Amino acid sequence: RLAARDGKNCFVCLAILAFSLLTIEHLLSFVHGGTDNENNLCLACESCNTALGSMPLTKKIELIIVRRGHVSA
């Protein structure tokens, strides 16, 4: 369902990948009160998913902006 909703792009870096290379990322991590609700999930490549880890949502947004190339690291 996520691929149908969002396409086969990494939500973080926007890379187009084969479905088998995408992982499920929780936007709001469990440790910060997140759930498995579809609205809290997105597809991410393994590298981006690992980089995001369980950081707070505000830090995830900052990393997403950098990885999409909108600002320098």
Side-chain angles (χ1 to χ4, degrees):
R1 288 173 73 153
L2 295 175
R5 181 188 75 187
D6 301 333
K8 294 180 183 174
N9 297 56
C10 172
F11 179 78
V12 181
C13 70
L14 302 178
I16 300 171
L17 301 167
F19 184 73
S20 61
L21 298 176
L22 292 166
T23 62
I24 296 175
E25 167 65 21
H26 290 82
L27 296 170
L28 183 60
S29 303
F30 284 126
V31 297
H32 298 288
T35 68
D36 281 330
N37 183 290
E38 189 174 310
N39 293 327
N40 187 45
L41 304 176
C42 65
L43 296 174
C45 67
E46 188 173 347
S47 173
C48 288
N49 194 329
T50 300
L52 293 174
S54 61
M55 62 176 61
L57 184 57
T58 54
K59 294 294 181 189
K60 286 185 177 187
I61 292 169
E62 290 172 6
L63 183 59
I64 290 167
I65 292 169
V66 170
R67 289 214 169 191
R68 288 185 178 184
H70 295 296
V71 297
S72 58

